[in-house]
Amino acid sequence: MTPEEQKLIQARQRSRSIVMAVVLFALVMLFFGITIAKMSH
Amino acid sequence: MPADWRDFVALTKPRVMTLVVFTGLCGLLVAPGHLSPILAFTAILCIALGAGAAGALNQWYEADRDARMKRTAGRPLPAGRMDRQSALHFGVGLSFFSVLLMGFATNWFAAFILAVSILFYVFVYTIWLKPRTAQNIVIGGAAGAFPPLIGWAAVTGDVAALPVALFMLIFFWTPPHFWALALFVRMDYANAGIPMLPVVAGERTTRRQILFYTVIMAAAALAPVLLRLTGLVYGLTALIATGIFAVLAVQVSLSHETDPAQMRAERRLFKYSVLYLFLIFGAVVVDHWVKLA
């Protein structure tokens, strides 16, 4: 594997991790909202 | 090489999802009853994720065929930017997640219809019908017609005449919409070995069939107002918008153009058919709000 390829792989892994963190945070907020809505129903 | 996150987004066919989300939202908005905004948002999110999951599984199954078509060769799998197993895991995971979330957030009947729509798109349309019959999109079109039913069911827990009428409208809209496209990308389908109507039965038959299904679609579009399920706002919009659709379909049926690059009438019908669905479903919602006011 060339250094360029290694760099590209690391960049992709980093961006995937960031997106995953954002998605997980959004899901936490969503489930919190759903719970509140269900409880007040 | 790990796939880029944008390729996972591309796997969900975001452009197709727009129409799915919009028709699902309209079904949800006109349903009697109340759903809290966060649950309504979740229901629409589930419809979007379910459609995305079906799209991902479709691309997983059709990767080899997509590679032979100019229109789809740039997708993540045929372009080699993602391995098939990742696409399969993503599609299956998203399917389960969307159905379970719909069930927990709204009700299990809506989740059931969502599951049926995903399974129908993957197994009935993609795997069974598409490679075997020229009528693939006639029956397979049902998969894209489910969202208004799901949106309605998310609120009420059942289905009624109006969402069924909207289902029928999308069902009969699908053949003229897809066959208009198939006419000017016929060679693509032929190269991929997909038996689309223009490839199997020829252009004349396809043009006649577009007109035939437009007539049935027009009846389906006017049915809600004739059955008094909707009011004047919808009735007028449906009449005008369907009239324009019919004129464009007649132009396609009378055309003898064989060069795909010169098929202006076909491209016009295809583009308008997308706008048409937005207009019709938008009118259903506005009509509902006018009635409430």
Side-chain angles (χ1 to χ4, degrees):
Chain A
M1 193 181 296
T2 63
E4 285 78 23
E5 281 175 333
Q6 207 155 10
K7 234 180 194 175
L8 184 64
I9 288 173
Q10 280 173 348
R12 280 197 182 173
Q13 282 173 333
R14 197 178 308 119
S15 69
R16 275 171 65 151
S17 302
I18 292 167
V19 170
M20 190 57 83
V22 171
V23 169
L24 285 175
F25 179 73
L27 281 178
V28 168
M29 297 306 289
L30 182 68
F31 280 106
F32 174 71
I34 292 171
T35 308
I36 298 297
K38 286 275 187 191
M39 280 166 62
S40 55
H41 183 60
Chain B
M1 180 84 67
D4 193 272
W5 65 270
R6 291 173 196 87
D7 286 328
F8 284 98
V9 176
L11 214 55
T12 63
K13 300 187 181 179
R15 271 194 298 178
V16 176
M17 202 191 280
T18 321
L19 214 55
V20 168
V21 165
F22 185 71
T23 54
L25 177 66
C26 291
L28 187 142
L29 289 174
V30 298
H34 174 73
L35 200 60
S36 81
I38 185 78
L39 297 181
F41 169 79
T42 308
I44 296 304
L45 180 71
C46 290
I47 293 174
L49 294 180
L57 290 170
N58 169 278
Q59 289 191 42
W60 161 75
Y61 187 76
E62 293 192 330
D64 297 335
R65 242 177 276 155
D66 282 348
R68 294 199 293 270
M69 291 173 67
K70 216 171 16 175
R71 192 171 65 88
T72 53
R75 286 176 174 175
L77 290 174
R81 298 196 303 273
M82 185 187 288
D83 64 288
R84 286 183 80 152
Q85 206 179 27
S86 298
L88 176 64
H89 291 169
F90 180 68
V92 172
L94 210 55
S95 300
F96 276 101
F97 178 76
S98 61
V99 171
L100 291 175
L101 183 59
M102 178 70 97
F104 285 120
T106 62
N107 59 73
W108 290 101
F109 183 63
F112 170 73
I113 309 176
L114 181 63
V116 168
S117 72
I118 297 170
L119 293 171
F120 193 93
Y121 187 74
V122 176
F123 289 101
V124 178
Y125 173 65
T126 303
I127 296 177
W128 182 39
L129 294 171
K130 196 172 176 183
R132 283 177 179 80
T133 168
Q135 296 298 311
N136 48 20
I137 50 126
V138 177
I139 308 158
F146 280 110
L149 281 179
I150 303 168
W152 180 287
V155 179
T156 63
D158 61 13
V159 288
L162 182 57
V164 171
L166 297 177
F167 174 94
M168 297 310 288
L169 174 58
I170 302 179
F171 183 73
F172 289 117
W173 163 90
T174 307
H177 166 75
F178 263 107
W179 285 335
L181 169 77
L183 277 170
F184 59 85
V185 295
R186 187 169 64 98
M187 287 318 292
D188 247 14
Y189 283 118
N191 292 339
I194 299 172
M196 291 299 279
L197 196 61
V199 178
V200 175
E203 289 181 4
R204 289 301 323 147
T205 306
T206 306
R207 292 175 194 284
R208 272 200 303 271
Q209 289 287 308
I210 283 176
L211 194 59
F212 173 71
Y213 276 97
T214 299
V215 173
I216 304 177
M217 185 206 73
L222 296 175
V225 71
L226 296 174
L227 295 169
R228 294 172 185 271
L229 301 170
T230 56
L232 204 63
V233 172
Y234 172 82
L236 279 174
T237 310
L239 202 63
I240 296 166
T242 309
I244 296 170
F245 196 114
V247 169
L248 296 177
V250 168
Q251 285 176 351
V252 169
S253 73
L254 294 176
S255 171
H256 296 282
E257 187 58 66
T258 52
D259 178 9
Q262 299 299 319
M263 288 186 178
R264 277 190 284 272
E266 293 75 5
R267 285 173 203 274
R268 215 179 301 139
L269 176 63
F270 176 70
K271 282 182 190 163
Y272 178 74
S273 66
V274 177
L275 174 69
Y276 172 80
L277 215 59
F278 276 105
L279 285 174
I280 289 283
F281 274 79
V284 174
V285 176
V286 173
D287 188 275
H288 176 71
W289 285 340
V290 168
K291 260 199 241 174
L292 290 179

